Amino acid sequence: MERILEFLRKANFYYLATVEGDQPRVRPFGTVNLFEGRLYIQTGKKKAVSRQIAENPKAEICAYCDGTWVRVSGELEEDDRVEAKASMLDEYPNLRKMYDEHDDNTQVFYFRNATAVFFSFDKKPEEIKL
């Protein structure tokens, strides 16, 4: 899990893919955190991505750095605990201008039933179960 987190942070951002009806939606994200051994992402409940995840929790993130890329596929499960939200916001204090662990907007999700696969052009893919 640490390797995945380090890679995503080194890449600076990743793309999150969700589904809206039958239309894929992809957008850049930058928040990623490890809390209680799980990989978390963060968004706001007022955003379309939040509604998309509520309707279909299957999602995938992808990041590229130094000739290697990783895809993490699974289901996103909301964690509404203040501790989980605070952990994310403590990692990204600049978000505190827009979010607070006690507000009605901050939302964090962790990956469950997930798999990460590292790819490069010169190596065999490496799969990691989360």
Side-chain angles (χ1 to χ4, degrees):
M1 195 70 76
E2 288 288 336
R3 179 176 171 210
I4 297 163
L5 179 68
E6 287 176 26
F7 186 90
L8 291 170
R9 286 190 173 158
K10 184 178 178 185
N12 290 320
F13 68 92
Y14 56 88
Y15 292 94
L16 171 67
T18 58
V19 178
E20 186 173 51
D22 67 350
Q23 178 64 50
R25 300 289 183 198
V26 180
R27 81 283 289 150
F29 262 58
T31 53
V32 62
N33 192 31
L34 196 59
F35 180 70
E36 295 181 346
R38 294 179 170 152
L39 187 67
Y40 279 74
I41 66 169
Q42 183 273 334
T43 191
K45 289 182 182 178
K46 297 174 185 173
K47 295 182 178 183
V49 66
S50 175
R51 291 187 298 280
Q52 293 158 8
I53 294 168
E55 290 174 13
N56 183 348
K58 291 183 179 179
E60 185 168 278
I61 62 176
C62 183
Y64 179 86
C65 187
D66 298 331
T68 300
W69 62 101
V70 66
R71 284 196 324 231
V72 181
S73 304
E75 299 171 20
L76 290 172
E77 178 79 25
E78 184 177 6
D79 187 339
D80 202 32
R81 295 178 297 157
V82 169
E83 298 85 1
K85 295 175 189 179
S87 177
M88 178 68 78
L89 295 174
D90 289 346
E91 284 294 317
Y92 296 91
N94 60 324
L95 289 177
R96 289 193 174 276
K97 294 178 238 170
M98 300 177 291
Y99 298 102
D100 183 274
E101 58 266 31
H102 299 286
D103 68 20
D104 291 332
N105 185 39
T106 302
Q107 195 170 35
V108 294
F109 295 92
Y110 65 87
F111 274 94
R112 66 180 175 145
N113 302 322
T115 302
V117 183
F118 284 90
F119 297 90
S120 69
F121 292 113
D122 59 350
K123 296 178 187 170
K124 293 176 103 175
E126 179 186 354
E127 185 175 302
I128 301 167
K129 297 283 186 191
L130 277 66

